[in-house]
């Protein structure tokens, strides 16, 4: 465990050389990483299949391409993203200019999760490196095959004094968190997020926590049901429902519930056919522990579609459960699987008031054609981010910040927003050395009238 301290000291020494502050150096390193990923993308796809049975399309489209897009955006825009920003200066300070400089923190620790183990590791890492930091990356041991490939890619692309991947379990992560970092980003559960936050607090280390929660999918009575169900099913059942921003439950207006459920059934069949267990496009549960946890969530309510399971293959079919209330066990925790509970509401004020009394979700999805309903939900309900008449797509748009609020986390990343997160905003006021005294300097008697005229009119 002493090696962790030595490794961090080595990275601090490298950071102190100033090399990572050079924009050309950062771009060169990102290009090097991109090339290694392109060369090893087949290994990435194979590891994702081994860990999660992700089909080739899901592995490449949601993990590999998203990471390459992140690098491309940084390479093309890094100079403008990191350019010092000039802001206005009050005449109270005399002749002066005010500027904000983006300064890297130093050594960043990135703790990764298992459900999208490639892209959710590399996206924040790319942002941290683009901002000029050194990085220590800890892939998730829950997805061991992908963890191995991740470590191989990172440690092939970089020297450990700059960026390194460490494979370890819970004990090793606990030891890592005892060390002092300059910034920590963690993606995963709220419970572990609290542990990370407590460890960071010992050193007053700033953090970004990308957590989870019960993300609602609200279907208004004005929604175009037939055109909505494809995106709902895609967002819910991609990666076998193991997506932090997946619709956790459907909350539908009572007048269109039956129509929606029928349309969902038809759409699931259209996506995956009648023999879903043997459909290569549908993934599997990460491990037996999660499989058993999901089974307990299927014991309440009425299964109106799906419900097929196979423990030997860690398979749970896309499942719709009706007859669910807020008191049901499935509504007490994040589902994180291919199980979709359905509840009904009577009016949007009921939705707004109920959500205001619950933990803030990472995402919210609204299906409506009513602009007043859209405005009501966007302006009165607090959540990390989301979509109107779509699911998941806000997270895939690198021009939007991704992050939670309240219990679903804090901080954000993606594109230029990663520069905001992984940089200290150093503010400088540069005052001209003139003979004109500042109205802040004594004696004050001569300045009072001028100041009151300036501020009070």
């Amino acid at each position: 465990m002493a090696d962790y301290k030595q490794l961090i000291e080595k990275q601090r020494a490298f950071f102190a050389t100033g090399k990572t502050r050079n924009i050309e150096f950062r771009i060169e390193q990102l290009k090097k990483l991109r090339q290694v990923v392109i060369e090893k993308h087949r290994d990435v796809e194979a590891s994702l299949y081994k860990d999660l049975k992700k089909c080739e399309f899901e592995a490449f489209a949601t993990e590999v391409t998203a990471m390459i897009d992140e690098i491309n955006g940084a390479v093309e825009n890094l100079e403008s993203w990191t350019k010092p920003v000039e802001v206005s200066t009050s005449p109270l300070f005399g002749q002066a200019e005010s500027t904000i400089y983006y300064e890297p923190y130093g050594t960043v620790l990135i703790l990764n999760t298992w459900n999208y183990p490639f892209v959710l590791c590399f996206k924040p890492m790319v942002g941290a490196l683009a901002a000029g930091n050194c990085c220590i990356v800890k892939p998730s041991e829950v997805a061991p095959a992908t963890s191995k490939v991740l470590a191989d890619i990172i440690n092939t692309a970089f020297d450990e004094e700059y960026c390194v991947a460490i494979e370890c379990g819970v004990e090793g992560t606990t030891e890592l968190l005892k060390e002092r970092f300059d910034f920590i980003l963690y993606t995963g559960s709220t419970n572990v997020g609290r542990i990370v936050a407590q460890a960071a607090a010992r050193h007053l280390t700033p953090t970004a926590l990308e957590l989870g929660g019960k993300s609602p999918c609200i279907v208004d009575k004005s929604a175009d049901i037939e055109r909505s169900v494809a995106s709902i099913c895609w967002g819910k059942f991609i990666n076998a429902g193991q997506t932090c921003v997946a619709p956790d439950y459907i909350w539908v207006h009572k007048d269109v519930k039956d129509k929606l459920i029928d349309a969902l059934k038809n759409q699931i069949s259209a996506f995956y056919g009648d023999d879903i267990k043997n459909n290569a496009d549908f993934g599997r549960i990460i491990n037996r522990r999660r499989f058993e946890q999901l089974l307990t969530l299927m014991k309440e309510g009425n299964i109106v579609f799906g419900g097929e399971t196979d423990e030997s293959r860690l398979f749970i079919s896309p499942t719709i459960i009706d007859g669910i209330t807020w008191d049901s066990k499935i509504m007490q925790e994040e589902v994180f699987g291919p199980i979709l509970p359905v509840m009904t509401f009577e009016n949007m004020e009921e939705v707004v008031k109920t959500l205001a009394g619950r933990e803030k979700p990472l995402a919210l999805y609204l299906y409506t054609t009513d602009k007043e309903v859209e405005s009501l939900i966007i302006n009165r309900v607090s959540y990390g981010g989301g979509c109107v008449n779509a699911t998941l797509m806000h997270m895939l748009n690198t021009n939007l910040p991704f992050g939670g609020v309240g219990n679903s986390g804090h901080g954000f990343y993606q594109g230029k927003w990663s520069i905001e997160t992984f940089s200290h905003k150093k503010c400088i006021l540069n005052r001209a050395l003139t003979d004109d005294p500042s109205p802040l300097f004594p004696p004050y008697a001569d300045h009072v009238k001028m100041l009151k005229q300036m501020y009070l009119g």
Side-chain angles (χ1 to χ4, degrees):
M1 299 307 175
D3 289 343
Y4 292 162
K5 185 179 293 292
Q6 184 178 0
L7 178 59
I8 294 168
E9 289 175 353
K10 185 182 292 188
Q11 289 205 346
R12 290 197 193 286
F14 181 73
F15 181 75
T17 67
K19 289 183 180 179
T20 68
R21 294 176 182 266
N22 182 279
I23 298 296
E24 292 181 0
F25 172 84
R26 302 182 205 177
I27 291 175
E28 179 185 346
Q29 300 306 310
L30 292 176
K31 287 180 177 179
K32 186 188 299 183
L33 175 61
R34 180 175 61 192
Q35 185 57 40
V36 176
V37 169
I38 290 172
E39 292 171 358
K40 294 179 179 288
H41 76 92
R42 293 289 186 190
D43 295 339
V44 176
E45 294 162 17
S47 67
L48 290 168
Y49 182 80
K50 187 172 184 179
D51 286 331
L52 288 152
K53 292 295 184 289
K54 284 195 182 186
C55 65
E56 182 180 3
F57 177 83
E58 283 193 16
F60 190 72
T62 68
E63 304 244 20
V64 178
T65 64
M67 183 267 188
I68 293 175
D69 282 343
E70 191 76 15
I71 292 180
N72 290 342
V75 168
E76 293 169 10
N77 299 289
L78 189 56
E79 189 169 351
S80 63
W81 288 349
T82 56
K83 186 178 180 179
V85 179
E86 294 184 4
V87 297
S88 61
T89 305
S90 170
L92 186 66
F93 309 127
Q95 297 183 39
E97 296 178 348
S98 298
T99 308
I100 300 170
Y101 293 87
Y102 287 91
E103 179 180 74
Y105 280 109
T107 296
V108 172
L109 173 64
I110 294 175
L111 301 173
N112 190 30
T113 189
W114 55 263
N115 59 325
Y116 287 82
F118 184 78
V119 71
L120 292 184
C121 170
F122 276 109
K123 267 204 171 191
M125 188 191 83
V126 167
L129 296 180
N133 298 285
C134 295
C135 278
I136 293 178
V137 180
K138 211 298 286 184
S140 174
E141 74 279 4
V142 180
T146 311
S147 175
K148 183 177 180 180
V149 173
L150 279 169
D152 177 51
I153 290 173
I154 293 170
N155 297 337
T156 296
F158 306 123
D159 294 330
E160 67 175 14
E161 64 184 4
Y162 174 55
C163 182
V164 65
I166 296 175
E167 289 192 275
C168 61
V170 174
E171 182 181 351
T173 305
T174 301
E175 293 301 316
L176 259 177
L177 286 170
K178 291 179 181 179
E179 301 298 333
R180 182 176 68 83
F181 291 89
D182 298 296
F183 195 94
I184 297 174
L185 182 139
Y186 166 75
T187 303
S189 71
T190 300
N191 288 336
V192 177
R194 292 191 180 96
I195 296 172
V196 173
Q198 289 171 356
R202 287 197 292 268
H203 300 290
L204 297 180
T205 301
T207 62
L209 303 177
E210 304 300 342
L211 309 177
K214 298 192 71 63
S215 299
C217 178
I218 301 166
V219 183
D220 179 40
K221 63 181 177 181
S222 71
D224 187 329
I225 300 297
E226 296 302 324
R227 293 185 179 182
S228 299
V229 290
S231 65
I232 294 174
C233 288
W234 173 73
K236 176 61 182 178
F237 299 116
I238 191 172
N239 199 31
Q242 299 165 114
T243 304
C244 59
V245 289
D248 193 85
Y249 60 96
I250 286 184
W251 206 2
V252 58
H253 192 280
K254 62 182 181 64
D255 292 350
V256 294
K257 184 193 80 169
D258 292 341
K259 182 179 179 181
L260 175 67
I261 289 178
D262 287 342
L264 288 171
K265 293 176 182 178
N266 292 333
Q267 190 63 59
I268 294 170
S269 296
F271 274 178
Y272 303 113
D274 296 326
D275 185 13
I276 302 178
K277 183 161 61 173
N278 293 308
N279 188 315
D281 289 341
F282 188 75
R284 297 295 182 267
I285 307 305
I286 184 68
N287 55 35
R288 194 170 305 281
R289 177 173 170 271
R290 280 297 302 150
F291 178 86
E292 293 172 352
Q293 289 172 338
L294 288 169
L295 290 186
T296 65
L297 301 182
M298 298 170 63
K299 294 180 178 179
E300 295 178 292
N302 306 311
I303 295 177
V304 296
F305 185 87
E308 182 184 1
T309 66
D310 185 338
E311 185 175 1
S312 66
R313 299 168 69 176
L314 298 179
F315 168 79
I316 298 177
S317 67
T319 299
I320 302 173
I321 303 182
D322 194 8
I324 294 298
T325 70
W326 287 109
D327 295 326
S328 301
K329 180 176 176 57
I330 199 170
M331 296 305 295
Q332 307 309 308
E333 59 185 88
E334 186 177 2
V335 175
F336 224 69
I339 307 167
L340 185 57
V342 178
M343 300 192 302
T344 59
F345 66 88
E346 295 189 7
N347 59 73
M348 277 294 168
E349 282 294 335
E350 171 192 350
V351 171
V352 170
K353 290 179 181 178
T354 302
L355 290 179
R358 306 186 71 82
E359 296 288 3
K360 298 175 182 181
L362 181 57
L364 182 147
Y365 305 109
L366 173 65
Y367 286 84
T368 185
T369 57
D370 188 328
K371 289 297 181 181
E372 290 187 7
V373 169
E374 179 181 327
S375 178
L376 179 71
I377 295 299
I378 290 175
N379 292 310
R380 290 186 53 191
V381 179
S382 180
Y383 50 96
C387 306
V388 177
N389 296 321
T391 58
L392 273 59
M393 293 181 182
H394 68 296
M395 186 180 177
L396 300 175
N397 184 352
T398 57
N399 294 313
L400 293 173
F402 172 70
V405 59
N407 209 56
S408 59
H410 60 255
F412 43 79
Y413 65 90
Q414 276 201 146
K416 71 172 183 177
W417 304 101
S418 290
I419 303 299
E420 297 287 333
T421 289
F422 293 110
S423 301
H424 165 60
K425 271 64 75 181
K426 180 188 286 184
C427 56
I428 303 295
L429 187 144
N430 193 331
R431 183 172 178 270
L433 291 176
T434 67
D435 293 331
D436 299 327
S438 168
L440 293 176
F441 300 164
Y444 298 127
D446 295 338
H447 303 324
V448 173
K449 184 176 180 180
M450 181 189 69
L451 284 176
K452 287 191 173 182
Q453 179 66 31
M454 185 186 301
Y455 285 94
L456 302 180

